[in-house]
Amino acid sequence: MNKLFSVSDVNLSYGDKHVLKDINIDLYKNKVTAFIGPSGCGKSTFLRCFNRMNDLIDSCKIDGTILMENKDIYNKKYDVVDLRTNVGMVFQKPNPFMMSIYENVAYGLKCSGIKDKKVLKQRVINALKQAALYDEVSTRLNDSALSLSGGQQQRLCIARAIAMKPEVILMDEPTSALDPIATAKIEELIEELKKDFTIIIVTHSMHQASRISDYTAFFLNGEIVEYDITKNIFQNPKDIRCENYITGRFG
Amino acid sequence: MNNLKTTKLNKIIDKVVSNIYLLMTLISASFMLIIIIFILFKGLSPFMSNYQYGVVNFLDFLFGTQYRPDMGIYGVGFIIINTLVSALLALSIAFPISVLTALFVVKIAPQRLSEFMKVVIDLLASIPSIVYGVFAAGIITKFTMTIASMLGVQTYGGTSLLSVVILLAIMIFPTITSISISSISSVSEDLQHASLALGATKVQTNFKVVLLSAKQGIFAGAILGVGRAFGEATAVSMVAGNKMFGPTFGLFNTTRTLTSTMIAGLKETSGLDYDIRFSIGLVLLIIILITNFGLNFIKNKVGKTHEKN
Ligand SMILES: Nc1ncnc2c1ncn2[C@@H]1O[C@H](COP(=O)(O)OP(=O)(O)OP(=O)(O)O)[C@@H](O)[C@H]1O
Ligand SMILES: [Mg+2]
């Protein structure tokens, strides 16, 4: 199995607040890894380490190393823009830009300097197809992205991310703002996407984690308590705290 | 029981309050109506055949290139053009500067500088026109004169189109900036994060996402600003030079705007020369309306933004 990320001794704090404690974990290529754990335990914070979105928070300080294909992504020479084109992100709330459907997907490509109209169009269409949205929007690519339903908007955000042809897609509770049907669609999509991408997903739904992920990491108070193949975590957890959380007996 | 009573009371209060709102709306609307009717009546009277001080031909008025009250000639065609030229030039200078300043204040400047600049901009917005006028008459005209003499051009003591444009640009800058600041500040963080996470740089994010999302407010600022530019009389009349014919396109030539025409010698006149100012006011209102439509049109074209619909 191919390691994509290798995280060692990562500690992160916001000001005086120590949020991630001695994190050591390897994440694998073309797998879906789920981060689970109670609210406030640092899942989103850890997820944001992989595309350095924490850099935007002034009070945030991070130690340790995160290697992506053996390169330290926190090295000064590593260009954040390159990192973020390579590591896409989908947020909790669908957040399309106030642009047309087409422009939303083309946005990242244009920012990265692609100008050729034909190339753009092809990449946009491919991304929309890959995100299982194309059939629903093919006749109205120039309509406002905000005219789409919540679930469609979230798939648009996924399309926007995969248009960049990233290696990794980070997803922070991508279905928590959606209804069950839209959620099922996205889950289906994730199964499809893991052929081409490595996916790291934060979720509060045990059902979702067990259904779509290959690996699961259980977080508690900024530590990874247990990390294993998803099946083991859900059928045979080793740590009692993990078991309690999974079975809903937590707290 | 008690609960039921309070709901009933609340309903009554609701009704009373909403009626008070309605009343307020009606009062302010009727003020508007009265003002408009009055201006319409006064403004149209010089063109009516039964006008007591000698009828003015409407077309001569609207398209005339001379304004000579001393000779009974009232043509405002060139003044309309002058007004449009000076206000739109001022807008095209002030608009980009204001928007970039707002972007700087909200997104780039360190917290303290940003707070300081906000205070200064709000202060600038509240300075009365006459103060700007005195400043313009004393400083801007000197500046214009210097530039003109460097270029070997004559001015009339610096009163010129250029002075008017600079003055107006300075006057509308705080208005547009201040409104742009609040509109840029309210662009959601989510959108900016989405953009950055796609590998866009901060600059790309600011220009392509932040400004686009703040477009509505920025253009509201532009409309208010250009409204102020069109409507400014006191300060403008101090540096315009009130030329009697035109139109003026030369930056160093004197000019005349609708407002400076309306205000010139207002207190010492009567009859036609007085009433005609209402006609000019009407023209000004219509120009402002048309410009607002124009700006709205541009707004909808820019970036073809897609609002929620
Ligand atoms: N920008 C920030 N500044 C300061 N503290 C923060 C910031 N973001 C998060 N925190 C704190 O860091 C801790 C971890 O937050 P994080 O958002 O990573 O938790 P989470 O596991 O994603 O929770 P949830 O499941 O509710 O999303 C929390 O205590 C939170 O209050
Ligand atoms: Mg979270």
Side-chain angles (χ1 to χ4, degrees), chain B residues 2 7 13 42 61 98 101-102 130 150 152 157 284 287 295 298:
Chain B
N2 215 352
T7 21
I13 291 177
K42 276 288 227 182
F61 168 75
S98 304
T101 307
I130 185 70
M150 268 167 24
L284 185 58
I287 287 181
L295 282 174
I298 295 174

Side-chain angles (χ1 to χ4, degrees), chain B residues 21-295:
Chain B
Y21 285 145
L22 182 66
L23 188 70
M24 295 298 168
T25 314
L26 284 178
I27 290 177
S28 50
S30 51
F31 269 126
M32 272 302 294
L33 205 66
I34 290 170
I35 292 172
I36 288 175
I37 289 174
F38 180 71
I39 296 178
L40 258 178
F41 182 73
K42 276 288 227 182
L44 290 178
S45 62
F47 311 111
M48 301 298 168
S49 52
N50 59 354
Y51 185 62
Q52 50 180 334
Y53 305 107
V55 182
V56 176
N57 182 302
F58 183 68
L59 292 179
D60 289 349
F61 168 75
L62 206 55
F63 297 108
T65 56
Q66 276 194 63
Y67 193 85
R68 299 293 302 264
D70 50 330
M71 293 158 58
I73 302 175
Y74 295 95
V76 297
F78 76 102
I79 310 180
I80 294 176
I81 294 173
N82 288 353
T83 305
L84 281 169
V85 167
S86 59
L88 294 181
L89 273 180
L91 181 68
S92 56
I93 293 172
F95 185 73
I97 298 178
S98 304
V99 173
L100 292 179
T101 307
L103 200 57
F104 176 77
V105 168
V106 180
K107 291 287 158 204
I108 299 162
Q111 173 103 28
R112 279 201 150 156
L113 179 62
S114 152
E115 291 304 320
F116 174 73
M117 287 184 71
K118 279 186 204 166
V119 173
V120 170
I121 287 159
D122 285 344
L123 260 175
L124 285 176
S126 60
I127 293 178
S129 338
I130 185 70
V131 178
Y132 278 109
V134 173
F135 167 76
I139 313 274
I140 296 178
T141 51
K142 294 258 160 51
F143 170 76
T144 313
M145 247 152 71
T146 318
I147 301 250
S149 66
M150 268 167 24
L151 296 171
V153 188
Q154 277 287 330
T155 63
Y156 301 90
T159 55
S160 61
L161 174 59
L162 181 61
S163 297
V164 173
V165 169
I166 295 174
L167 164 72
L168 287 178
I170 293 175
M171 288 184 76
I172 68 180
F173 162 80
T175 312
I176 305 179
T177 309
S178 163
I179 292 174
S180 299
I181 285 178
S182 52
S183 139
I184 289 174
S185 321
S186 63
V187 173
S188 95
E189 289 262 290
D190 288 0
L191 290 180
Q192 299 166 58
H193 288 167
S195 167
L196 292 168
L198 282 167
T201 61
K202 282 208 169 128
V203 176
Q204 286 170 332
T205 303
N206 282 341
F207 279 90
K208 295 185 169 195
V209 170
V210 175
L211 285 188
L212 188 72
S213 313
K215 197 182 71 168
Q216 200 73 24
I218 291 173
F219 271 84
I223 285 172
L224 269 178
V226 83
R228 186 166 192 196
F230 278 132
E232 185 45 49
T234 327
V236 167
S237 61
M238 294 169 81
V239 294
N242 271 354
K243 200 178 185 181
M244 300 263 187
F245 54 94
T248 302
F249 296 110
L251 282 177
F252 297 106
N253 286 340
T254 52
T255 184
R256 177 183 205 111
T257 65
L258 290 170
T259 47
S260 67
T261 306
M262 285 170 77
I263 204 174
L266 177 67
K267 287 274 190 264
E268 299 102 49
T269 193
S270 60
L272 172 59
D273 191 53
Y274 184 82
D275 291 345
I276 201 85
R277 292 155 201 262
F278 287 92
S279 318
I280 299 175
L282 266 183
V283 171
L284 185 58
L285 280 181
I286 291 165
I287 287 181
I288 291 177
L289 266 181
I290 292 173
T291 312
N292 286 2
F293 277 123
L295 282 174

Side-chain angles (χ1 to χ4, degrees), chain A residues 131-144:
Chain A
L133 186 61
Y134 187 69
D135 293 339
E136 290 158 64
V137 300
S138 61
T139 55
R140 48 181 182 132
L141 291 177
N142 291 320
D143 285 8
S144 167

Side-chain angles (χ1 to χ4, degrees), chain A residues 1-21:
Chain A
M1 241 164 344
N2 274 328
K3 261 194 273 179
L4 180 63
F5 285 110
S6 186
V7 179
S8 33
D9 302 323
V10 162
N11 277 281
L12 184 149
S13 38
Y14 296 116
D16 299 335
K17 200 167 177 185
H18 196 175
V19 173
L20 294 177
K21 298 162 191 160

Side-chain angles (χ1 to χ4, degrees), chain A residues 3 7 37 41 47 50 54 59 67 79 107 175 201 239 242 250:
Chain A
K3 261 194 273 179
V7 179
C41 65
L47 193 71
F50 294 102
N54 285 324
S59 65
L67 303 181
D79 186 4
Y107 177 82
T175 60
I201 182 170
D239 196 294
C242 183
F250 190 82

